[in-house]
Amino acid sequence: MFFREKTSKTSKTPVLQLVDTIRTVKGPRQRVMDSLGSQFKIPKEDRQKVARLVQERLLGQQSILETEASVL
């Protein structure tokens, strides 16, 4: 999972999306898991950590590494 910024077609403002990569018969595809809109801001340096935490929680796993409280 990862975050990407995509420009909205209607308002021309950047929209933050949480995206997952899946494998299909036709090859890898990207699936938007959630669109956070333009109001929700995650600093670029924290996006990878947050995406990893979301993926672990969805899979029911616990991280063996300590999680920074500021990221949660």
Side-chain angles (χ1 to χ4, degrees), residues 37-68:
S38 59
Q39 303 296 323
F40 195 74
K41 303 286 186 203
I42 298 176
K44 288 186 179 184
E45 60 270 3
D46 291 337
R47 290 180 184 175
Q48 186 176 10
K49 294 176 191 176
V50 173
R52 189 188 79 240
L53 288 171
V54 169
Q55 185 172 15
E56 287 175 354
R57 299 282 166 85
L58 287 173
L59 295 173
Q61 299 174 342
Q62 289 184 342
S63 179
I64 58 171
L65 305 173
E66 289 187 29
T67 305
E68 295 179 28

